[in-house]
Amino acid sequence: MRIAAHIWDRCLFRFRIAMFTLRARQKSALLPPGEILRLDEMERSDRQALLKLAKVHGTVFKGTIDGRFAVCILGNKLARRLLGDFRSALKPVTIDVSRLFPGEFMRGMGGTTHKHYRAILTRGLSDTDLGKFEPSMRQMIKGHLEDFADSPTDPRQRFDDARRWAATLSEITSSMLIQVVLGAEPGSKLSRDLLGVYRDLGPNGVAWNVGDRQVAAYQDLRQRLRQTLTDAPVNGLIGMIASQEQGQGQIEETMLGNLIYMVETGRYDMRGLFRWISKYAAENPDWVERIASAPPQQSRTIAEAFVQEVLRLDQSERLMREVLEDIVFEGHFIPKGTLLRVCMWEAHKAEETFDDPFEFRPERFLNEQAFGEKFSPFGLDQHHCPFSVFSIKLASLFLTELASGFEISAEGGDPAVRGPYHWEPSLDFSVSLSRVKKA
């Protein structure tokens, strides 16, 4: 029965391709080149698979992803034009939060609704002073790293050490975002309470399919934050937005839901980024020493360049869009229902853009504009992450604290593996920390 079903699925898919081809001809266009290959499976076994296909077929080619007809776009300039020219026909693929709060997660919003909520968020971020959170954040980071360094390690139990390091980074990133976004200072009762509920919301990373567990945890978070906003003025982004938009500690339901889920998705993404940062720190002690020994402002600049190079090499990967209507782009017919993948990781490996693109060279970002046509780690269109600058600053804060107080070594991590949402160091990646003795 399985073989018969598989054959039937292949025949049905070929029929769909034939119909797409006829519709393309009616528009004097062609389907993108390429065989109907399982691109997601190819990529899992070879991270450079899409780069290799682009060398054969060009910067626009087809295949399947998760069993759906898919088109890949490689090149930031080309992708930005596609996303701009067909904005209304492309919907970001993101989490369905309809069981949690009215409206959508901001990543999936479109039109005037997206402009409205993005404007609120942007105003709130522009007036949020990250500097006033730094002392308590540094203390929190240092405390977690010291606890990790002081715990005994056993080379024979590398996977246990790897899990412990991931858990340490999860505590750090969650505490950072809870303070910046939700206003709870690390170590406070509110911060500890929120951390506990977030562990219930997504104990193993972001839950893509919202179930009863997520509904219960979300309602708990919502009620705690509503009560906190009612009791007294609140710091952080949530307090800034409440005072700017509603006053008297109130905040609109869709905006509150987006702030809660900004922390939920961000703490997982940043934990992955921090794992990569710690791997590159262990492999590049000269750069860590430069960060540790430089004056504060210069140290921050070097750390931010280091973080951006990590983003270029490993954490910035793809944008996913669903095509809502037939479009023709560069002579290519892209039918309604297509899964569109903008290949960010591959674009950042273009030799015409970056010399030695697979080499770790943070100096690329020391003396030039960070974001632009050739480097867009947080998006290319109106859905460009508004938290991008804060993300780099928080990651740099972690890195400077790591560099100034500890020596780091690492084992494992290669080859990288495709996790649920991102490429990650392999599961056996573990670190050892030792405190640096102050002169």
Side-chain angles (χ1 to χ4, degrees):
M1 292 293 292
R2 286 185 180 179
I3 295 175
H6 179 66
I7 293 173
W8 171 251
D9 287 344
R10 286 179 62 86
C11 291
L12 185 61
F13 203 90
R14 288 176 179 174
F15 175 75
R16 291 181 62 204
I17 295 298
M19 296 302 296
F20 290 161
T21 301
L22 288 175
R23 284 159 55 188
R25 288 175 181 172
Q26 291 171 358
K27 295 180 178 292
S28 301
L30 297 170
L31 284 181
E35 303 296 324
I36 303 302
L37 303 173
R38 297 179 178 179
L39 302 178
D40 45 345
E41 294 185 10
M42 291 178 63
E43 185 194 22
R44 285 182 188 277
S45 60
D46 179 2
R47 197 176 185 186
Q48 296 189 38
L50 301 186
L51 270 176
K52 293 173 182 177
L53 287 174
K55 288 183 178 180
V56 176
H57 301 298
T59 54
V60 182
F61 57 92
K62 67 179 181 292
T64 68
I65 296 175
D66 293 331
R68 296 178 57 180
F69 180 76
V71 171
C72 292
I73 306 290
L74 196 155
N76 285 352
K77 186 175 182 180
L78 187 69
R80 183 174 280 116
R81 185 152 50 81
L82 172 65
L83 295 171
D85 290 350
F86 298 97
R87 183 171 299 174
S88 62
L90 302 173
K91 181 176 177 58
V93 177
T94 191
I95 300 169
D96 179 1
V97 294
S98 57
R99 291 190 63 188
L100 303 179
F101 54 86
E104 295 179 281
F105 193 28
M106 199 174 298
R107 292 178 181 179
M109 291 178 181
T112 56
T113 302
H114 178 258
K115 289 181 180 178
H116 170 71
Y117 284 103
R118 186 180 177 88
I120 293 173
L121 182 62
T122 301
R123 282 195 298 270
L125 285 169
S126 66
D127 290 338
T128 299
D129 181 9
L130 191 61
K132 70 180 181 181
F133 300 134
E134 278 199 22
S136 57
M137 277 193 190
R138 286 188 180 277
Q139 184 177 3
M140 177 271 295
I141 295 168
K142 182 180 179 182
H144 281 299
L145 294 179
E146 287 179 344
D147 288 346
F148 183 88
D150 294 342
S151 299
T153 60
D154 185 345
R156 297 169 298 179
Q157 303 294 326
R158 188 190 299 174
F159 282 99
D160 288 342
D161 290 339
R163 284 190 289 268
R164 198 161 55 85
W165 181 238
T168 296
L169 296 181
S170 184
E171 292 290 303
I172 291 172
T173 58
S174 298
S175 296
M176 280 180 153
L177 291 171
I178 284 173
Q179 182 174 24
V180 173
V181 179
L182 304 180
E185 185 170 337
S188 67
K189 183 180 185 302
L190 178 59
S191 180
R192 294 195 304 270
D193 289 347
L194 294 177
L195 269 169
V197 185
Y198 269 109
R199 292 189 195 104
D200 290 336
L201 182 63
N204 300 309
V206 180
W208 190 263
N209 297 310
V210 173
D212 292 342
R213 177 174 188 154
Q214 284 69 44
V215 172
Y218 175 81
Q219 289 302 325
D220 192 351
L221 287 166
R222 175 188 174 277
Q223 291 167 12
R224 290 173 188 270
L225 292 169
R226 283 280 181 211
Q227 188 61 53
T228 302
L229 286 164
T230 301
D231 290 345
V234 177
N235 291 321
L237 178 59
I238 190 172
M240 189 64 66
I241 290 176
S243 64
Q244 288 177 344
E245 298 302 316
Q246 303 291 340
Q248 299 180 352
Q250 298 300 310
I251 191 167
E252 189 265 341
E253 199 68 34
T254 299
M255 192 73 246
L256 177 61
N258 269 277
L259 293 176
I260 290 172
Y261 251 73
M262 180 186 295
V263 174
E264 172 63 356
T265 57
R267 71 194 189 101
Y268 177 75
D269 288 344
M270 288 185 67
R271 184 191 74 179
L273 175 59
F274 284 21
R275 286 186 78 214
W276 281 117
I277 288 172
S278 59
K279 184 176 188 297
Y280 283 105
E283 293 172 348
N284 297 274
D286 290 348
W287 278 97
V288 174
E289 176 58 29
R290 287 182 66 178
I291 294 168
S293 60
Q297 186 56 49
Q298 186 180 355
S299 175
R300 186 188 302 269
T301 299
I302 299 170
E304 289 183 1
F306 189 109
V307 169
Q308 289 174 84
E309 180 69 344
V310 174
L311 285 167
R312 186 191 70 81
L313 279 171
D314 281 303
Q315 187 78 3
S316 173
E317 293 159 0
R318 62 198 171 277
L319 299 177
M320 301 300 296
R321 298 289 186 266
E322 182 173 2
V323 181
L324 303 180
E325 60 187 61
D326 292 350
I327 61 177
V328 176
F329 178 70
E330 296 285 297
H332 301 295
F333 176 70
I334 305 177
K336 177 182 178 180
T338 296
L339 198 59
L340 182 71
R341 171 173 172 152
V342 177
C343 301
M344 308 289 293
W345 184 85
E346 291 79 4
H348 290 151
K349 307 303 177 296
E351 292 182 354
E352 61 271 21
T353 304
F354 294 101
D355 295 334
D356 301 320
F358 291 96
E359 296 298 318
F360 181 74
R361 291 173 46 187
E363 63 268 23
R364 304 177 201 273
F365 298 102
L366 284 175
N367 300 306
E368 62 179 68
Q369 178 72 30
F371 304 131
E373 194 69 66
K374 69 178 186 177
F375 182 59
S376 301
F378 295 98
L380 289 162
D381 62 356
Q382 76 275 17
H383 285 88
H384 175 276
C385 178
F387 206 76
S388 57
V389 174
F390 276 45
S391 297
I392 290 177
K393 290 185 180 300
L394 292 176
S396 301
L397 192 65
F398 164 75
L399 177 57
T400 54
E401 202 61 38
L402 179 67
S404 63
F406 304 87
E407 291 182 354
I408 180 171
S409 60
E411 292 188 53
D414 295 316
V417 296
R418 178 74 163 82
Y421 303 108
H422 293 289
W423 281 86
E424 305 171 358
S426 63
L427 294 177
D428 68 341
F429 172 67
S430 62
V431 306
S432 296
L433 298 183
S434 58
R435 300 197 199 197
V436 174
K437 294 181 180 180
K438 302 296 183 181

